[in-house]
Amino acid sequence: MKRIDKNTALKMYKEEPFLTLGKKADDLRKELHPENIVTFIIDRNINYTNVCINKCSFCAFYKEADDPLAYLLSTKEILDKIRETIKLNGTAILIQGGLHPDLNIDYYVDLLKTIKSEFDINIHGFSPPEITHIAKMAGLTIKDTIRKLIDAGLGSIPGGGAEVLSDRIREAVSPKKIKTKEWLKVMAEAHEAGLKTTATMMFGCGESEHDIIEHLDAIRTQQDKTHGFTAFIPWSFQPENTELGSRNLHDSNFQLATGVDYLRMLALSRLYLDNIKNIQASWVTQGIKMAQVALRFGANDLGSTMIEENVVKAAGVSYKVSQDDLINAGRAAGFTVMQRDTFYNRLRTFN
Ligand code: SF4
């Protein structure tokens, strides 16, 4: 398929009939994945702390350090969670948390080394805001910080903290968070160092259609240069228990993203990001039925079994999905379903 430019993408996003857009994305998905296989990973999210100095207005997860509900998991608790993940045939952990004001780089290095000394598992950890925070606390460059974390056992980086890569939106919803340039810099340094990462987008927080296209274009441009993104994962803002949600409750101009918005966004991502092979459906925010439909709107992956998830749950959304639910959803949509690892290597088929 010929690469689409920003103007065409904007026109498609605004004007293309819903099913036509979906069909185009599905056709490209078939071209990129002709084997008719849908994948998922078995892993769990380990949120080592909920203490965060950023206080993003869309986040229902963070706590201030002196909040009675603030926590920092002990190393033993983290190791127990990994042991359980491995028992369930898990191949990775997604470890991320708030920007804790008192944890220095030694904490992260020791944690990674301890995990790697006990388990043969991929550590997919620390999104760009955390990496930037760790670097700042240590007085190191992003490059040296990533190098130290890799040497200690970091295997890949999740694409969290991207939200919408527009500094106007970032200033409005998360003024303390790293800006677009810094998010992209962490990803560029990670890719240069040989790490694979994902890329994400949380939309539906007041951005314009133009912002959406700029976000996709920033990711595509980065991928052209460094080729390190394994997948793109879009999802919509979940408003419950968030400052942004209550701020917009009485604003008639503020429209929450609908299921149709989600599918349009997903299809557009598939079409625009022609250099990123995998697009994930987000059952965690949309539910399994919407994720199943997403498999015909450009997605080729059902994400993770998420043995544990805390961040979206804090925003009042708690879909419970078992491994069998994922397998059945993929099969019923007409696909062979396979377990994969973080790097999209296919591990086993479910017959
Ligand atoms: S989204 Fe991340 S950086 Fe923002 S407040 Fe929540 S935990 Fe902190």
Side-chain angles (χ1 to χ4, degrees):
M1 194 194 127
K2 194 170 156 274
R3 175 162 275 198
I4 51 175
D5 62 22
K6 289 202 253 182
N7 286 339
T8 311
L10 190 60
K11 201 164 156 31
M12 270 179 156
Y13 191 43
K14 283 161 86 164
E15 295 170 18
E16 196 87 40
F18 179 56
L19 293 178
T20 311
L21 189 63
K23 172 78 169 60
K24 283 185 177 169
D26 194 43
D27 287 346
L28 182 56
R29 192 266 313 154
K30 280 183 195 144
E31 216 177 294
L32 293 167
H33 302 277
E35 322 85 348
N36 207 42
I37 289 168
V38 155
T39 49
F40 67 85
I41 187 170
I42 300 177
D43 72 357
R44 86 187 295 155
N45 283 10
I46 299 178
N47 302 113
Y48 56 97
T49 183
N50 62 352
V51 175
C52 188
I53 54 171
N54 263 11
K55 305 182 196 173
C56 304
S57 67
F58 53 79
C59 178
F61 173 70
Y62 79 84
K63 296 284 176 239
E64 307 235 17
D66 59 359
D67 190 294
L69 295 176
Y71 73 78
L72 172 66
L73 295 181
S74 68
T75 305
K76 183 184 176 310
E77 285 172 301
I78 294 174
L79 295 179
D80 285 347
K81 285 172 186 287
I82 300 173
R83 199 166 290 114
E84 189 194 12
T85 306
I86 289 175
K87 269 197 195 135
L88 294 165
N89 293 316
T91 58
I93 49 158
L94 195 175
I95 185 158
Q96 53 185 4
L99 311 190
H100 197 296
D102 303 326
L103 298 179
N104 61 32
I105 194 162
D106 295 338
Y107 167 84
Y108 297 91
V109 165
D110 289 349
L111 180 62
L112 290 166
K113 282 188 176 164
T114 306
I115 294 171
K116 287 309 256 191
S117 70
E118 295 237 1
F119 304 107
D120 178 19
I121 196 161
N122 181 53
I123 306 173
H124 185 54
F126 314 129
S127 59
E130 287 165 280
I131 301 270
T132 309
H133 178 67
I134 298 167
K136 217 177 267 175
M137 296 277 291
L140 290 174
T141 62
I142 297 290
K143 187 184 186 136
D144 289 347
T145 302
I146 290 175
R147 177 44 56 201
K148 263 183 178 280
L149 297 175
I150 292 174
D151 290 347
L154 184 66
S156 52
I157 291 182
E163 282 80 58
V164 179
L165 293 173
S166 144
D167 285 348
R168 184 177 58 80
I169 299 298
R170 300 179 86 71
E171 199 50 51
V173 302
S174 53
K176 291 188 175 171
K177 206 166 209 170
I178 56 170
K179 298 289 185 271
T180 301
K181 221 167 124 188
E182 291 165 291
W183 189 93
L184 290 167
K185 182 175 170 53
V186 172
M187 289 312 189
E189 294 285 11
H191 297 169
E192 295 290 345
L195 282 191
K196 296 292 182 198
T197 75
T198 54
T200 65
M201 172 194 278
M202 185 195 74
F203 65 100
C205 47
E207 73 285 339
S208 67
E209 286 141 342
H210 179 76
D211 294 323
I212 297 271
I213 306 298
E214 288 300 326
H215 180 111
L216 293 177
D217 195 61
I219 303 278
R220 189 170 79 176
T221 304
Q222 180 70 59
Q223 180 76 335
D224 277 343
K225 290 185 203 151
T226 53
H227 314 286
F229 292 123
T230 54
F232 182 69
I233 315 151
W235 68 86
S236 55
F237 165 55
Q238 307 298 316
E240 288 279 309
N241 308 324
T242 70
E243 188 202 323
L244 185 63
S246 45
R247 212 195 281 168
N248 290 311
L249 204 58
H250 306 294
D251 179 352
S252 55
N253 292 320
F254 187 81
Q255 299 268 326
L256 274 180
T258 63
V260 170
D261 294 335
Y262 171 72
L263 291 172
R264 287 192 77 87
M265 181 62 232
L266 194 83
L268 184 75
S269 313
R270 174 61 292 160
L271 291 164
Y272 200 81
L273 300 174
D274 55 9
N275 55 2
I276 298 184
K277 196 156 184 210
N278 303 293
I279 303 284
Q280 259 186 44
S282 172
W283 63 260
V284 181
T285 55
Q286 313 298 319
I288 189 67
K289 292 196 171 162
M290 188 63 84
Q292 189 182 37
V293 178
L295 298 177
R296 293 291 171 191
F297 274 74
N300 64 291
D301 187 85
L302 285 165
S304 155
T305 49
M306 295 234 187
I307 299 162
E308 176 180 355
E309 197 289 321
N310 304 298
V311 177
V312 176
K313 196 158 74 184
V317 181
S318 186
Y319 290 110
K320 286 263 178 289
V321 169
S322 68
Q323 182 174 302
D324 282 346
D325 291 334
L326 290 182
I327 296 168
N328 292 335
R331 275 192 194 144
F335 296 96
T336 299
V337 183
M338 293 190 75
Q339 182 186 351
R340 64 160 172 90
D341 65 14
T342 311
F343 308 102
Y344 285 78
N345 298 308
R346 290 164 181 174
L347 304 178
R348 64 173 166 147
T349 309
F350 297 95
N351 291 311

